[in-house]
Amino acid sequence: AKAVNAPAYNTLTYDVIGSQRLLQGTAFRFMTGGLVRIFAALAGGYIIGLLGVGSAYLVVAAAYLLSAAALLRVKAEPRPKSGQSEARESPLRALKAGLSYAFGTRPVRALLLLSLMTEFFGFSYMYMKPVMARDVLGVGAVGLGYLEAASALGQVAAMLGVAALGDFRWKGWLLLSGTFGFGLGIALFGLSPWYGVSLVLAAAIGGSGAVYDSTMSTVTQVTASA
């Protein structure tokens, strides 16, 4: 479901905002997500501590339903069509054309390779965070909630900075700096046995990861639509 949701969400953002404000719009989208995460992470920790994991999942499911209802109000201008009438492609042919374009276009291929490496080796840290909190840092669900809240706070701060850049010219360098900071933050987080230091590192990871995510989305769409 998320594999369908993510490209549709990114495309809808592009249709609503346009290419010149895409970086700002994507940054604001990640910023609002970070604001929600701050309160959700703290609440989730206490809900798990009081009612158990299952109840927390039910609250998350309800939040997704509310966000889906809000999305129905978003209206995007239809893209202008070319003068020629276009026949509807079969899904298989469209998939083949998309793969051919992605692997045959050097900038897009490089972005996809960077995305594959970062998502596979980087964002998997999220699934180890509960283990780190319990076995290394010695904190429970509430302590894990504060780690998540610190990450979300870093995300909000970083996205405010990215949004302030406007239509930043050097998006590639911004993408690389976010990727490098994300990897370095994860390495240091894995070595830290101190909860206070880990909170600071979680904020740094959240901020640099959001810079990577928002810039990757923007650069990929702008490159592919050029």
Side-chain angles (χ1 to χ4, degrees), residues 41-57 140-145:
L42 296 175
Y46 283 103
I47 291 172
I48 291 172
L50 292 173
L51 302 175
V53 176
S55 298
Y57 273 112
V142 175
L144 175 62

Side-chain angles (χ1 to χ4, degrees), residues 24-197:
Q24 282 178 298
T26 304
F28 275 116
R29 179 159 63 86
F30 277 91
M31 184 186 70
T32 55
L35 285 171
V36 173
R37 278 183 60 210
I38 293 174
F39 300 103
L42 296 175
Y46 283 103
I47 291 172
I48 291 172
L50 292 173
L51 302 175
V53 176
S55 298
Y57 273 112
L58 291 175
V59 173
V60 171
Y64 269 103
L65 290 175
L66 289 174
S67 65
L71 190 62
L72 294 174
R73 298 177 58 87
V74 177
K75 303 296 182 183
E77 292 293 330
R79 292 192 181 189
K81 295 182 178 180
S82 60
Q84 300 176 350
S85 60
E86 299 179 357
R88 183 180 293 273
E89 284 186 308
S90 68
L92 187 61
R93 180 172 293 182
L95 177 62
K96 182 179 178 181
L99 290 173
S100 176
Y101 172 78
F103 289 105
T105 307
R106 185 176 178 182
V108 177
R109 184 173 66 243
L111 288 168
L112 291 177
L113 179 61
L114 176 61
S115 177
L116 176 66
M117 299 292 288
T118 306
E119 299 286 341
F120 188 83
F121 292 106
F123 280 94
S124 56
Y125 95 98
M126 296 168 57
Y127 310 106
M128 288 299 296
K129 200 182 295 183
V131 180
M132 292 289 295
R134 182 191 63 194
D135 297 344
V136 178
L137 302 175
V139 297
V142 175
L144 175 62
Y146 279 104
L147 281 173
E148 291 290 349
S151 175
L153 185 62
Q155 177 178 329
V156 171
M159 292 300 92
L160 281 172
V162 171
L165 294 175
D167 188 21
F168 188 59
R169 182 179 178 184
W170 307 106
K171 296 181 181 69
W173 287 109
L174 188 63
L175 173 60
L176 290 177
S177 63
T179 307
F180 178 78
F182 184 58
L184 179 62
I186 291 173
L188 295 176
F189 183 83
L191 295 172
S192 170
W194 305 287
Y195 184 61
V197 174

